Amino acid sequence: MARKIIIGNWKMNPLSLRQAEDLFRSIQKSASSKTKINTIICSPFLYLEKLKKLSKKVLVGSQDVFYEEKGAYTGEISAEMLKDIGVKYVIIGHSERRAMGESNIDINKKIKMALSFGLTIILCVGEHERDESHEYLNFIKTQIEECLKGIVKSFLPKIIIAYEPVWAIGRNAVREATPKEFLEISIFIRKILSDKFGAKAIEKTKVIYGGSVNPKNTADFLKEGETDGFLVGRDSLDPEKFGEIINITENI
Ligand code: PEP
């Protein structure tokens, strides 16, 4: 059976390297004996190199990357820099970055640059709200088509799609999605991918859920939602809760 994938997105937390290392060690303890899961922690850029050195069972990923290769881009981090310190995964297109102005075109360029350095992409998509006329489905379709424009199917094994409805994310979440809602959207996403790349090419593509994932809803998303894994925000900062999410996923 294909491995599930659990990604922790620490965002701009924790506030010191010491805390980041302690948290990473605790998560690594929970993940160490697991055989059915790949666990990835996406930390702030600043901690990646240190965490990579601690990394055995848990891999590290970044929360963003820039779309140019090198040069006069103050404050940016390149794909080659990430690769150089051993980072293998990168979140691209998180809704919090989109809210700061990142467009599908920017995301497309970032994906292409990251792929060219062998990084695996966690591409976030998701609507802001659900309308009765189902316009949100077109919104998600456009996100996927524009973000993956010009990408050939041989790169698909390096792309994970994270469905993260914006209304279900973070402290301002209206509610979490239901497993049924996730299942419907994951089928929809697979159909879009299959139309673009062919059914065979997407057989192994992972579509994961993100948005208020916690130990209480983990089992339902796995069983009823048939998710390939999770992108976890808040609860990835709590080693006990994240450990529970890991345990539940391993044992289903
Ligand atoms: C996220 O921001 O990617 C996320 C899923 O956050 P949370 O789990 O806190 O809703």
Side-chain angles (χ1 to χ4, degrees):
M1 215 170 101
R3 277 175 176 251
K4 301 285 182 204
I5 187 150
I6 300 185
I7 302 160
N9 175 13
W10 284 357
K11 310 190 181 185
M12 202 167 69
N13 302 291
L15 295 182
S16 73
L17 174 60
R18 173 84 185 273
Q19 286 174 300
E21 288 177 327
D22 288 348
L23 179 57
F24 191 81
R25 280 196 193 94
S26 308
I27 291 172
Q28 199 145 246
K29 242 185 234 164
S30 306
S32 65
S33 56
K34 307 297 181 281
T35 56
K36 299 182 199 152
I37 308 171
N38 288 338
T39 308
I40 298 143
I41 291 298
C42 295
S43 83
F45 286 127
L46 202 59
Y47 304 146
L48 285 172
E49 191 175 1
K50 287 278 189 180
L51 298 184
K52 177 71 186 69
K53 288 192 178 129
L54 296 180
S55 155
K56 293 184 194 102
K57 188 79 185 176
V58 175
L59 300 173
V60 293
S62 71
Q63 299 169 15
D64 192 22
V65 64
F66 195 50
Y67 49 70
E68 295 290 351
E69 203 169 332
K70 63 176 181 176
Y73 304 103
T74 303
E76 297 294 352
I77 299 287
S78 79
E80 190 166 0
M81 291 171 188
L82 294 172
K83 187 184 169 196
D84 181 57
I85 58 164
V87 170
K88 298 263 188 303
Y89 289 82
V90 54
I91 296 174
I92 300 185
H94 191 278
S95 58
E96 287 157 11
R97 297 221 58 87
R98 291 178 188 262
M100 290 178 215
E102 189 166 279
S103 68
N104 289 337
I105 294 172
D106 298 329
I107 293 166
N108 178 252
K109 290 196 280 183
K110 289 183 175 189
I111 291 174
K112 285 177 176 160
M113 184 56 70
L115 286 173
S116 76
F117 284 94
L119 301 176
T120 296
I121 316 301
I122 301 142
L123 168 61
C124 298
V125 298
E127 76 283 4
H128 292 263
E129 56 184 9
R130 290 206 164 192
D131 55 308
E132 281 177 10
S133 54
H134 297 99
E135 199 40 49
Y136 67 92
L137 294 174
N138 282 332
F139 182 83
I140 295 169
K141 186 165 187 262
T142 303
Q143 281 187 325
I144 295 175
E145 286 176 348
E146 291 186 358
C147 293
L148 297 183
K149 193 170 175 194
I151 287 161
V152 294
K153 68 176 165 198
S154 57
F155 281 118
L156 266 185
K158 291 271 189 195
I159 298 173
I160 296 163
I161 309 285
Y163 171 60
E164 294 214 306
V166 182
W167 47 265
I169 293 177
R171 292 193 198 289
N172 296 328
V174 180
R175 62 174 176 87
E176 61 205 39
T178 64
K180 186 167 172 277
E181 283 168 335
F182 171 72
L183 181 60
E184 284 166 1
I185 294 290
S186 73
I187 293 168
F188 178 67
I189 289 173
R190 284 184 195 287
K191 170 81 173 90
I192 298 165
L193 295 174
S194 157
D195 287 348
K196 181 173 167 63
F197 297 108
K200 183 99 190 101
I202 66 140
E203 266 171 10
K204 292 194 177 142
T205 303
K206 290 192 190 308
V207 181
I208 66 174
Y209 173 71
S212 302
V213 174
N214 60 58
K216 290 200 183 100
N217 59 25
T218 299
D220 288 345
F221 274 107
L222 289 160
K223 287 192 238 167
E224 291 165 42
E226 299 176 28
T227 185
D228 294 318
F230 299 104
L231 180 50
V232 185
R234 280 158 295 164
D235 279 9
S236 69
L237 293 166
D238 180 326
E240 269 181 37
K241 288 185 182 166
F242 199 58
E244 268 189 74
I245 293 170
I246 290 173
N247 281 335
I248 294 165
T249 306
E250 171 79 4
N251 292 318
I252 278 185

